[in-house]
Amino acid sequence: QQESSRKKFGKPSSLVVGIEQRGHPVSICFSLPSSGPKGVYVHVVDINAYLDAAGNAAHEELMRQRGLGVWFTDYLDQPVNAALPLVPPELGQSCSFQADADRLAMTFFVPAESFSQPFDFSTVRYFESVVRCQHMLPSKTAGTLILHPDPEDAASAVLQELVSYAVKLEGSMLEDCDPAVIRHLDVDFLDAQALGGRAGLPDQFGLLLVSRVISAFSFVLDRFAGSALLEARPWNLLQGDQCCFQDPQTHASPHVIPVQACCKHDPIMRSVVERLLRLKPEDMGKAEIAVRDVVQTLQEILRQHMLSRRQKQCLQAAFIRRMRLALPRSIHILAHPGSWPLAGQFTHHHGNALEPGSPLFGVSAPLRRYMDILGLRALKFAAGWRPANEHMTLTREELEKCIARSNARQNVHRFALHIFRQISLMRELAHSGWCIQDALVSVVGPRYFDIIVPTLASDPVEVRVPVAALRGASSMVDYDSLEQSLSAVSFDMQEYEGFPQDRMTWQIKSWSSAGLLSSVIVRNFAQAVQHHASSDAIVVAELKFSARAGSQTHTVTLPIGHKMCPEVFSSWPDLEQWYQIDSDIGVYSQVWSKIRLCQVHASASSNGVYLPGIAAKNIQWFEAQGSSRYQCLVPLKNSDDANQRVDSQDLAILRCSAQQGEAVLYGVVEHISAKPTQFKTKMCNNKNCRATNCSFAHSVDDLKDEMFTVNVRLSDISTLAKQSQTVLLERVRESGFRVQFINVPLADKKGQELLNAIAKSAGVCFPLPMQSQLVLTRSPQVKKGEQEARPIASVEQIDEAMEHPQFHVTFGPGLNSKQQEAVRQALQKQFSVIQGPPGTGKTTFLVHLISAILNLEIDSSLDGQWDQAHSRCRRQQHGQQQHPGKILVCTPSNHAADEIVQRLVRSTNIPHSFITRVYARTIERSHGSKYKGSAHVGNKSDLRFDIRTSLAEHSLHFKTQNAADVRPIQDHLPVDRFDAVVQNQYDAAYELNEVQILKSSRVVITTCTCAFLHSALNKGSATRMHRPIDFATVIIDEAAQASEPDVVLPALLAQQRVVVVGDHKQLGPVVPEKNLCRSYLNALETPFLERILRDPDRLSAKTFLDKQYRMHPSIRQFPSQQFYDSALTDEVNTDAMPALPCIWPEQNERVVFIDCQHPHCFGIVIEDGRRKSTTATLLENNTSLKKLW
């Protein structure tokens, strides 16, 4: 009965063409009129006619619940076997367009005159029809017919006519500056009139052109429906308004209508749009962002030289995608007809890209979106159709639920499509990486820039690269906010002499390929979950840039993948045993060794010395102890420079290149040795050599490449990568392997060994004070020893040391009751914690504590007690006994250590010979030391540290250099040449005097890292450690600012007592390796005090300093309440404070709170009507730092 009243299409005189697109069910097809007015018939499946049948009420309800259908595609837009259809399969098969099958449809006729300038959407007409599709073309076939027309193919003629109409529509929208060209259409902004310049395009562009044609006509239908459905009557009928059924002329109704609207402008997203358009600062913040400006910016990007057609397509797709994400989101809402512009009254800001443009309502995809079904249903109601079943009408509540589901699932739909694209590319890269020769750069920011992987897909893949990955010991990067570009400088650290020609410079420009030669992208196997499509699931392993050094052009190769995920050198970043570190010393050592190892690798990756990549020959693979290993021959220079040598525990990056793909494997050097028949030491044959009997090559010119055998153990992550890429590795030829080594500082290697050795040294005889605090669960023997152990000193001995001191504070404040309690506790207990909030006198307490310990050690009765209780194991290990009274004071920074030295020197009567400050070897060398017998210990900040002139005489290197048997040798060291004999004599005398000076010292002050790495304090490896000096007491100051390993390792040097001073409520540890995974970074940034004080059993060892001498009471009030349970009290004389200008809200209140999350901090102006809001104005006036002066 329905078919008899419908117009029929599909006869030989009217050819109907359908296009299968990305696996979707076909809901739209096209035909051209055989006679009469010219135009296009667009046929849409009339699914409402099928639903309005007995027995389909369940299908209607199911589709309402689903709201949206999803058909997933891979990164090349090819359909995959994964879909969540909207229409049940049994109904979808009978209603979707198929070849040579009749289907009920809603036909829209778009007259040819509608495509004039501007496009007239009001001329579109629609009616019910029966359509038989004679040609159902796959997308690829349709694209081929568009690119290569076939005069004898009738379907090709229809496609060509559709193309011409689509071009007219796009041209009309561009000329009218309609926001639709950005929001909805897939316009080719470089050459819109030629539809992408079809001549000469490869067949791969066919899919994009087909999608472009379909989106153009879908937009026409949705735009027409958006205007037609602004009337209230069809929606009233859809909501079952009986009055409208009875009287078609009725317009009054209490019902609401669904409309498509845009969300409010997000100021942050607006700033994203402004950066995309490269607006100047004076142009930012304007009311409108013109569509014409967007088009011109994109056209400028696409007109760059040396861009291929594929690169231009990718740049356009990436740019438009970012624009659409930044523009206000389009959603469906319910509105009362009186409060929403009706048909003919709808106005919009002409040419403003931030506005939605003319109204739209989806009707072109009823098999994918339920809201399109409702749109078609409303059009049918407007045309006089009445349903036969009640389930075709909705109540207002049902309509609200449909709209809510549609809005929510539309966002999930976009995200799900992105995830599937990412997973498909991850699967592709699991077997081999890609070397991309035509990679592009999209957005460039101060922290990140994105690399576009050129593919002929509507949504190209982008991989994010942190700017920090480009920085290192030999490269610097600066960001230009106006140009939105990065300027980089690179140089060879070994040959750099500061001349401009030694530097290589290049730029990374946004939306360009300039300077970028190639990039290697790989699957990130550091993710334990195989198909977890996170933001770093795909990483850029290597970048190559074209750089200039003077007038010459060079290629700079930057391996960066491991900088983003430094755990690739070790194992997966998990802390599954974290809950056991308080109960097992072995687990404690294992967990922190794992975390510290990753930190060491992260530091070496970012700041270490990279040796040039070299060919690896005779690669041999083997498995051992559950890990993959390889052995290879590499040519290396036999250099005495530690930065030029390859040693065990250094990092190795093996890159395998072949036509089939790329593989990048990471590991650690286990062993390196010279080939036995080639590498014997030869005498120097340089005639101009100034040294006598020189037995080694001393100049770079004298070095020759020699073959070394290197054994490398792959990390657990790279072992998995090797298993996935076995086929590629087997196909790589000998010349396809290159290896690059990264030097790990010897100090970091030594620190790692010490962490590994914690478990081995635990439980022997009497545990050290710090070992007993690392775990709560201890063996019965240890517990018995702790119970039987006496206090370090009796009350009488402590009273004597404090009341009749030989060493005391001569200048400065005395101790309050809490500070005295803290001193007594520290003197008596093996382990004590002193928490000192700001201004409570922690440094004053330390000076008094050090003086009291020295006084206590004068008591001869303590020597026997200490010997009997604690020194048996030490005498067995070292064969000699030392006085237990030495104190080691450690701080996280050099400045804090110098402050303690200065207070001890100026404020106490402790002899200066008792006080020795130990600096890192790098600082010692920069201040005159000629000692070269040990490894470099220190970091970058040490190289820039200047010793105060007043403190230089207390330093270890100053005392050693001026020793009687060292100064004469140093004066005879040759300045213009190297004499090995004299240098060895100097080093031996230097080391001997260092030990003698430290033995005669009673207080040694240094940094936490130097305490366990400086060769004067610790010699040898962790397994064969020889400590020239024993310390009875170790004091850690500002312990909350150091990571836990930096606190524990120096504290393990204490044989009698450990005193930890700090405040975990203040600034925590500063971890410079921000490229660590979040779990490791959180562990390192958690202060040692915070972790151990979570245990109630350890609170008995804590003393809280509660009197503050620094802050005004009004300043103290907030931190005391917020962080210290209102425990702080004031000992400040406010009357003695100088009067300040009236910059505070109240005279006695010295605090102003600034809302750091307020939009003003982003440069955003909040407006209330036409004026700035009162709240915003007050906040700006009262909290602006400029108004304080």
Side-chain angles (χ1 to χ4, degrees):
Q1 182 180 2
Q2 291 187 28
E3 293 184 10
S4 61
S5 61
R6 292 173 177 254
K7 185 175 181 179
K8 294 180 174 55
F9 290 86
K11 299 178 180 179
S13 57
S14 59
L15 181 66
V16 179
V17 177
I19 302 175
E20 297 175 347
Q21 191 180 21
R22 302 176 187 171
H24 299 168
V26 181
S27 58
I28 187 171
C29 56
F30 308 91
S31 64
L32 302 177
S34 58
S35 61
K38 291 185 178 181
V40 179
Y41 288 112
V42 183
H43 311 286
V44 181
V45 168
D46 187 4
I47 191 172
N48 289 289
Y50 293 94
L51 289 173
D52 188 21
N56 281 339
H59 290 159
E60 166 73 14
E61 180 62 26
L62 178 62
M63 294 167 64
R64 290 182 190 176
Q65 295 294 329
R66 291 180 177 178
L68 188 71
V70 182
W71 287 263
F72 298 102
T73 61
D74 62 8
Y75 67 96
L76 292 176
D77 283 345
Q78 298 300 315
V80 297
N81 189 21
L84 299 172
L86 171 67
V87 183
E90 59 273 16
L91 180 61
Q93 289 292 331
S94 61
C95 65
S96 63
F97 286 118
Q98 296 181 10
D100 297 325
D102 291 340
R103 292 292 184 263
L104 302 179
M106 290 285 292
T107 296
F108 295 82
F109 179 65
V110 186
E113 60 268 16
S114 301
F115 294 91
S116 60
Q117 189 79 28
F119 194 93
D120 187 4
F121 294 93
S122 62
T123 60
V124 177
R125 298 290 181 266
Y126 67 98
F127 50 86
E128 295 178 332
S129 62
V130 178
V131 177
R132 171 171 293 188
C133 183
Q134 294 100 326
H135 286 268
M136 185 59 65
L137 304 176
S139 296
K140 185 176 181 180
T141 303
T144 302
L145 290 176
I146 293 177
L147 293 174
H148 310 288
D150 185 355
E152 300 180 358
D153 192 331
S156 177
V158 173
L159 292 176
Q160 296 302 317
E161 195 71 17
L162 295 177
V163 166
S164 64
Y165 284 128
V167 169
K168 292 180 180 179
L169 171 66
E170 293 174 352
S172 175
M173 295 292 103
L174 277 173
E175 186 66 25
D176 194 38
C177 292
D178 195 296
V181 299
I182 301 172
R183 290 179 173 271
H184 307 289
L185 297 176
D186 297 329
V187 180
D188 187 340
F189 290 93
L190 184 63
D191 194 1
Q193 297 302 319
L195 198 68
R198 286 178 284 163
L201 283 180
D203 293 340
Q204 295 90 333
F205 282 88
L207 292 175
L208 297 176
L209 301 180
V210 168
S211 176
R212 182 177 167 189
V213 170
I214 293 178
S215 67
F217 283 98
S218 297
F219 169 75
V220 172
L221 302 189
D222 296 343
R223 183 72 163 266
F224 163 75
S227 299
L229 295 179
L230 285 178
E231 296 182 359
R233 183 172 174 275
W235 294 109
N236 294 340
L237 294 171
L238 187 141
Q239 297 177 68
D241 192 335
Q242 298 300 323
C243 179
C244 289
F245 277 112
Q246 298 170 3
D247 184 5
Q249 303 300 320
T250 301
H251 295 281
S253 175
H255 294 303
V256 292
I257 65 173
V259 292
Q260 200 165 357
C262 280
C263 300
K264 293 183 179 180
H265 295 170
D266 186 345
I268 297 179
M269 289 294 101
R270 179 189 175 91
S271 65
V272 172
V273 174
E274 292 174 341
R275 288 196 298 269
L276 283 174
L277 299 183
R278 305 174 182 177
L279 296 183
K280 298 179 180 179
E282 58 269 17
D283 296 332
M284 293 185 177
K286 291 184 177 180
E288 293 187 358
I289 294 180
V291 174
R292 192 177 303 277
D293 293 338
V294 178
V295 174
Q296 290 178 353
T297 300
L298 184 52
Q299 289 177 342
E300 291 175 1
I301 293 173
L302 299 179
R303 291 193 181 110
Q304 296 179 85
H305 297 292
M306 306 300 291
L307 288 179
S308 65
R309 187 64 182 83
R310 184 172 74 162
Q311 288 178 313
K312 294 177 181 179
Q313 168 61 33
C314 290
L315 283 174
Q316 173 176 314
F319 186 91
I320 292 298
R321 178 181 61 189
R322 289 186 178 272
M323 281 293 303
R324 290 175 178 175
L325 290 176
L327 293 176
R329 188 165 56 93
S330 177
I331 60 173
H332 288 92
I333 63 172
L334 284 177
H336 290 281
S339 63
W340 191 257
L342 301 180
Q345 299 176 348
F346 191 94
T347 58
H348 68 278
H349 297 280
H350 183 75
N352 187 2
L354 299 179
E355 296 296 333
S358 297
L360 277 82
F361 201 99
V363 295
S364 59
L367 300 184
R368 285 188 288 163
R369 299 187 295 259
Y370 184 76
M371 291 304 297
D372 288 42
I373 296 177
L374 294 183
L376 284 175
R377 193 175 300 176
L379 287 178
K380 289 168 67 70
F381 274 116
W385 175 78
R386 300 295 179 266
N389 297 277
E390 294 183 358
H391 65 261
M392 299 299 290
T393 60
L394 290 82
T395 64
R396 175 171 177 172
E397 181 180 357
E398 291 173 338
L399 191 58
E400 289 176 348
K401 291 180 179 180
C402 291
I403 289 177
R405 292 191 195 101
S406 174
N407 293 334
R409 291 174 183 173
Q410 191 67 32
N411 293 332
V412 176
H413 171 240
R414 298 190 190 98
F415 180 70
L417 290 178
H418 168 73
I419 291 298
F420 262 77
R421 290 173 182 272
Q422 187 104 336
I423 290 176
S424 66
L425 183 56
M426 289 167 57
R427 289 182 174 180
E428 188 77 17
L429 295 174
H431 304 292
S432 64
W434 293 350
C435 181
I436 305 169
Q437 302 294 339
D438 55 352
L440 300 162
V441 177
S442 59
V443 175
V444 177
R447 297 179 59 191
Y448 297 96
F449 65 95
D450 290 343
I451 299 292
I452 303 177
V453 181
T455 58
L456 292 178
S458 59
D459 192 4
V461 176
E462 293 187 60
V463 184
R464 176 155 290 186
V465 179
V467 175
L470 303 181
R471 297 189 175 101
S474 60
S475 59
M476 299 176 292
V477 181
D478 292 324
Y479 176 70
D480 187 341
S481 58
L482 293 178
E483 297 293 331
Q484 295 185 24
S485 63
L486 295 171
S487 299
V489 178
S490 181
F491 50 87
D492 190 334
M493 292 188 64
Q494 280 70 42
E495 299 182 5
Y496 180 67
E497 297 181 0
F499 298 105
Q501 59 268 22
D502 296 332
R503 299 180 300 174
M504 293 177 287
T505 61
W506 74 93
Q507 275 192 325
I508 303 176
K509 298 181 179 180
S510 59
W511 304 105
S512 172
S513 65
L516 180 60
L517 298 180
S518 66
S519 64
V520 176
I521 63 170
V522 297
R523 162 76 192 279
N524 182 13
F525 287 90
Q527 292 183 349
V529 182
Q530 186 175 4
H531 299 306
H532 177 51
S534 63
S535 58
D536 58 349
I538 301 169
V539 296
V540 177
E542 182 181 277
L543 289 174
K544 284 187 178 180
F545 295 95
S546 176
R548 298 193 63 82
S551 59
Q552 299 180 346
T553 303
H554 300 270
T555 299
V556 176
T557 302
L558 298 177
I560 61 173
H562 58 284
K563 292 185 178 182
M564 293 179 273
C565 302
E567 58 269 18
V568 295
F569 288 107
S570 51
S571 60
W572 285 280
D574 61 73
L575 295 175
E576 59 182 358
Q577 294 180 306
W578 182 261
Y579 70 97
Q580 294 180 319
I581 62 173
D582 280 335
S583 58
D584 190 334
I585 190 68
V587 174
Y588 182 92
S589 174
Q590 180 181 354
V591 169
W592 277 111
S593 296
K594 186 176 181 179
I595 295 174
R596 191 56 175 260
L597 180 63
C598 191
Q599 184 185 16
V600 167
H601 292 166
S603 177
S605 299
S606 299
N607 306 314
V609 177
Y610 285 67
L611 273 65
I614 50 180
K617 301 179 179 179
N618 298 343
I619 291 280
Q620 298 179 8
W621 300 94
F622 56 94
E623 304 288 332
Q625 301 176 355
S627 299
S628 296
R629 289 168 165 81
Y630 66 88
Q631 185 183 84
C632 63
L633 288 176
V634 293
L636 295 172
K637 295 183 183 296
N638 189 10
S639 172
D640 285 339
D641 187 356
N643 291 330
Q644 289 292 314
R645 290 199 308 264
V646 177
D647 294 320
S648 60
Q649 301 184 47
D650 283 345
L651 307 181
I653 305 174
L654 181 68
R655 180 183 171 188
C656 317
S657 301
Q659 293 182 351
Q660 296 84 356
E662 303 276 337
V664 183
L665 303 176
Y666 304 93
V668 178
V669 176
E670 285 191 322
H671 179 70
I672 181 169
S673 60
K675 199 171 180 180
T677 58
Q678 290 186 353
F679 311 113
K680 295 180 180 179
T681 304
K682 298 181 179 180
M683 299 295 290
C684 175
N685 57 3
N686 189 348
K687 297 180 180 180
N688 298 322
C689 181
R690 299 178 180 179
T692 304
N693 296 327
C694 183
S695 60
F696 59 92
H698 57 82
S699 172
V700 176
D701 296 333
D702 295 329
L703 300 180
K704 296 181 180 179
D705 292 345
E706 299 174 341
M707 300 303 293
F708 284 79
T709 301
V710 180
N711 289 354
V712 177
R713 176 180 58 83
L714 293 182
S715 65
D716 296 343
I717 296 171
S718 288
T719 298
L720 176 63
K722 176 183 174 296
Q723 295 171 357
S724 299
Q725 301 174 348
T726 302
V727 176
L728 174 64
L729 295 175
E730 291 175 351
R731 295 179 180 177
V732 176
R733 297 182 179 179
E734 184 73 20
S735 59
F737 289 98
R738 294 185 65 82
V739 65
Q740 186 171 22
F741 298 102
I742 306 174
N743 289 136
V744 177
L746 294 177
D748 291 339
K749 298 177 183 178
K750 187 175 181 180
Q752 186 64 29
E753 292 176 354
L754 290 172
L755 274 175
N756 292 329
I758 289 179
K760 299 178 182 178
S761 61
V764 180
C765 297
F766 292 91
L768 297 175
M770 195 63 197
Q771 286 178 341
S772 64
Q773 298 300 319
L774 294 180
V775 295
L776 294 178
T777 306
R778 296 182 284 278
S779 65
Q781 289 181 339
V782 173
K783 287 184 178 181
K784 183 179 179 180
E786 292 177 353
Q787 294 173 358
E788 295 177 353
R790 298 179 180 178
I792 297 177
S794 64
V795 176
E796 292 78 11
Q797 291 167 334
I798 294 175
D799 290 340
E800 180 69 20
M802 296 184 65
E803 295 175 2
H804 302 89
Q806 177 178 344
F807 306 111
H808 57 87
V809 177
T810 59
F811 175 77
L815 297 179
N816 59 40
S817 58
K818 276 291 184 180
Q819 290 172 328
Q820 290 181 3
E821 178 187 340
V823 171
R824 290 179 177 274
Q825 178 175 274
L827 293 176
Q828 197 169 28
K829 293 184 178 181
Q830 288 190 356
F831 180 81
S832 56
V833 175
I834 314 300
Q835 182 183 0
T840 54
K842 293 189 293 295
T843 307
T844 300
F845 156 78
L846 276 179
V847 174
H848 283 271
L849 175 62
I850 294 170
S851 302
I853 294 176
L854 291 179
N855 292 323
L856 189 63
E857 298 300 337
I858 296 175
D859 191 344
S860 59
S861 63
L862 283 177
D863 292 344
Q865 179 181 342
W866 188 84
D867 291 341
Q868 182 180 2
H870 297 282
S871 66
R872 294 197 303 268
C873 300
R874 297 300 159 192
R875 287 201 304 269
Q876 291 174 3
Q877 292 182 16
H878 301 313
Q880 59 180 354
Q881 179 183 348
Q882 298 183 31
H883 194 281
K886 296 190 184 300
I887 305 171
L888 176 64
V889 183
C890 305
T891 64
S893 64
N894 282 297
H895 293 285
D898 284 353
E899 181 64 25
I900 294 177
V901 174
Q902 185 171 356
R903 293 286 291 270
L904 288 174
V905 171
R906 294 184 177 182
S907 304
T908 69
N909 65 345
I910 301 174
H912 292 183
S913 60
F914 280 18
I915 303 171
T916 300
R917 171 73 163 93
V918 179
Y919 291 94
R921 290 294 188 193
T922 49
I923 299 179
E924 291 179 352
R925 286 193 180 89
S926 63
H927 289 80
S929 173
K930 303 298 182 183
Y931 176 73
K932 299 182 181 294
S934 67
H936 290 259
V937 178
N939 51 43
K940 285 187 173 182
S941 62
D942 292 339
L943 298 176
R944 300 185 296 269
F945 185 78
D946 293 327
I947 301 176
R948 302 180 196 177
T949 306
S950 59
L951 302 181
E953 61 179 294
H954 306 288
S955 62
L956 176 62
H957 65 275
F958 181 88
K959 296 179 179 180
T960 306
Q961 289 177 111
N962 291 279
D965 52 347
V966 175
R967 174 57 65 182
I969 303 177
Q970 181 169 332
D971 293 339
H972 287 84
L973 280 174
V975 179
D976 55 348
R977 61 188 177 87
F978 181 82
D979 193 320
V981 176
V982 178
Q983 183 64 51
N984 291 335
Q985 293 176 355
Y986 176 81
D987 291 345
Y990 197 97
E991 292 177 356
L992 180 62
N993 278 271
E994 277 187 331
V995 175
Q996 293 176 352
I997 292 170
L998 289 174
K999 285 184 177 181
S1000 63
S1001 301
R1002 302 296 294 274
V1003 182
V1004 177
I1005 302 100
T1006 186
T1007 59
C1008 292
T1009 52
C1010 281
F1012 59 88
L1013 294 179
H1014 199 286
S1015 60
L1017 301 175
N1018 297 284
K1019 289 186 179 296
S1021 62
T1023 56
R1024 298 182 178 181
M1025 180 64 66
H1026 169 59
R1027 305 191 191 280
I1029 307 299
D1030 285 336
F1031 294 97
T1033 302
V1034 173
I1035 302 173
I1036 311 293
D1037 187 25
E1038 300 292 355
Q1041 297 183 17
S1043 62
E1044 183 158 339
D1046 290 338
V1047 174
V1048 171
L1049 289 178
L1052 289 173
L1053 301 177
Q1055 299 178 16
Q1056 189 176 16
R1057 68 168 64 85
V1058 174
V1059 182
V1060 181
V1061 184
D1063 182 17
H1064 56 282
K1065 301 294 185 180
Q1066 299 184 49
L1067 292 177
V1070 178
V1071 182
E1073 295 81 14
K1074 298 301 182 183
N1075 52 341
L1076 284 170
C1077 65
R1078 175 52 55 187
S1079 59
Y1080 285 1
L1081 193 60
N1082 287 342
L1084 289 167
E1085 289 180 343
T1086 301
F1088 170 72
L1089 290 178
E1090 178 180 337
R1091 194 182 67 79
I1092 67 168
L1093 292 180
R1094 291 172 184 168
D1095 181 13
D1097 295 338
R1098 288 166 170 159
L1099 293 178
S1100 60
K1102 186 186 80 167
T1103 302
F1104 181 79
L1105 305 181
D1106 58 356
K1107 293 181 174 59
Q1108 68 89 16
Y1109 300 86
R1110 180 182 303 166
M1111 295 174 282
H1112 190 277
S1114 62
I1115 302 176
R1116 181 268 311 154
Q1117 183 178 4
F1118 174 76
S1120 179
Q1121 293 177 351
Q1122 190 74 17
F1123 304 111
Y1124 303 108
D1125 298 328
S1126 299
L1128 282 180
T1129 59
D1130 300 316
E1131 293 292 332
V1132 182
N1133 184 6
T1134 56
D1135 296 335
M1137 290 184 172
L1140 297 176
C1142 186
I1143 62 175
W1144 312 108
E1146 297 181 15
Q1147 182 64 29
N1148 294 326
E1149 292 292 330
R1150 305 298 176 88
V1151 176
V1152 170
F1153 290 95
I1154 299 177
D1155 183 4
C1156 298
Q1157 297 300 320
H1158 195 276
H1160 274 59
C1161 71
F1162 299 107
I1164 300 165
V1165 177
I1166 298 179
E1167 295 185 358
D1168 182 11
R1170 296 184 179 181
R1171 299 178 301 174
K1172 190 180 298 183
S1173 68
T1174 306
T1175 304
T1177 304
L1178 290 175
L1179 180 68
E1180 185 178 39
N1181 292 338
N1182 291 338
T1183 63
S1184 175
L1185 297 181
K1186 295 180 181 179
K1187 298 183 181 295
L1188 296 181
W1189 305 103

